[in-house]
Amino acid sequence: MSTPSTSTTRDTVILGTGCSGLTAAIYTARANLKPLVIEGHEPGGQLSITTLVENFPGWPDGVQGPELVENIRKQAEKFGAEIEMGHLVAADLSASPIKLDFGNGKTVHTRTLIVASGASARWLGLPSEQALIGHGVSSCATCDGFFFSGKVICVIGGGDSAMEEAIFLTRFATKVYLIHRSGSFRASKIMLERAMAHPQIEFLTNTIIEEVLGVEEKEVRGIRIRNTVSGEVSELALSGFFLGIGHIPNAKFFEGQMDLDADGYIKSHDNVFTTHNGKVIPGVFCAGDVQDRRYRQAITAAGTGCMAALEAEKYLEEHGR
Ligand code: NDP
């Protein structure tokens, strides 16, 4: 793999090597657009930090997230997608062709751009939490909940994501601690009430996590928590630690050139078109979690990646490629 080559004009550049970006790469490569796919800080996106994926169609016995994304990558490369490392430092989406600057004099011009830069789960940032990702620490209840059948787990957060995850996880876990750092919740009233009324969910408010226990055993075995009101420190035995403290979409870069919502997600139109001041940006499409706060699944990312690729192809045909 190399870094983006100097001053070339491409038909299609795809930002991101997660499920959406690589699916867009398969489709655009098969359409002979010779896509350049830019791999950033998180190669493979969120699939690369997931363990077993059991809900991706076509894998009756499940597939490891990293293996799945590696296969999609191979498939894209087989059809001629070029994957290069790069970190965008500037972009001009109004230029024709679109101008992308990767620093050190490396500029790429492209007739179409597919932004598939994903959203990164927000983590607490504790070393013990980071060490146990995939070993009992997860940011995706839908992906990993199944592994906690009959176990005691916790969900961190006080928003709708945390409530939704906690309620969902009661299908598997015998008990879910909902742990929130304050006593007031961002979650909608209905979601909060539903979670609070659930017999398997116990709320621990004004509580922060000091450490996830189990680093030596390479498996979550509990947490050390502190009550911020009483100052009391205690340990809870549990097997799963789920984060529900939000996601950070990787679209900040386009602020001022593209319509983003209050949380920084691309305000996509029909899931794939980007806009600026409400008007569609010609040749600039988006796909995957960077524009999806609702579903955030590998299969929906793949679906919108496909859609963006087909729209890019159509755009190039209509504009005399
Ligand atoms: P939110 O930003 O709404 O909530 C994040 C929660 O995480 C807050 O309670 C916040 O605490 C807490 N938090 C953030 N950082 C930390 C940290 N470092 N340590 C501890 N706690 C932390 O994010 P959500 O993902 O819950 O929701 C995002 C949007 O998506 C919302 O608009 C929501 O309504 C929507 N959504 C809707 C759903 C639905 O309708 N079914 C499902 C999921 C999301 P604090 O409040 O103290 O800042």
Side-chain angles (χ1 to χ4, degrees), residues 26 46 65 70 74 92 124 127 133 150 157 164 169 180 190 192 212 245 250 256 261 271 273 282 304 308 311:
I26 293 172
Q46 293 194 52
E70 183 56 30
K74 280 186 195 151
D92 185 353
L124 295 178
I133 292 174
E164 194 172 65
L169 288 165
H180 182 36
I190 187 163
L192 181 61
V212 185
I245 61 174
N250 301 315
D261 72 13
N271 292 108
F273 298 100
T304 51
E311 291 299 342

Side-chain angles (χ1 to χ4, degrees), residues 164-184:
E164 194 172 65
E165 285 196 8
I167 294 165
F168 174 78
L169 288 165
T170 58
R171 294 184 197 182
F172 313 103
T174 49
K175 174 162 189 151
V176 179
Y177 289 104
L178 188 299
I179 302 179
H180 182 36
R181 64 182 174 186
S182 78
S184 60

Side-chain angles (χ1 to χ4, degrees), residues 206-223:
N206 300 309
T207 300
I208 56 169
I209 312 298
E210 288 201 332
E211 192 180 349
V212 185
L213 306 172
V215 173
E216 277 183 14
E217 299 87 336
K218 293 193 170 62
E219 187 177 52
V220 171
R221 64 173 172 82
I223 49 174

Side-chain angles (χ1 to χ4, degrees), residues 21 33 99 103 137 143 146 172 199 309 311 318:
L33 301 182
K99 189 177 165 198
V137 170
C143 321
F146 187 77
F172 313 103
E311 291 299 342
E318 287 172 357

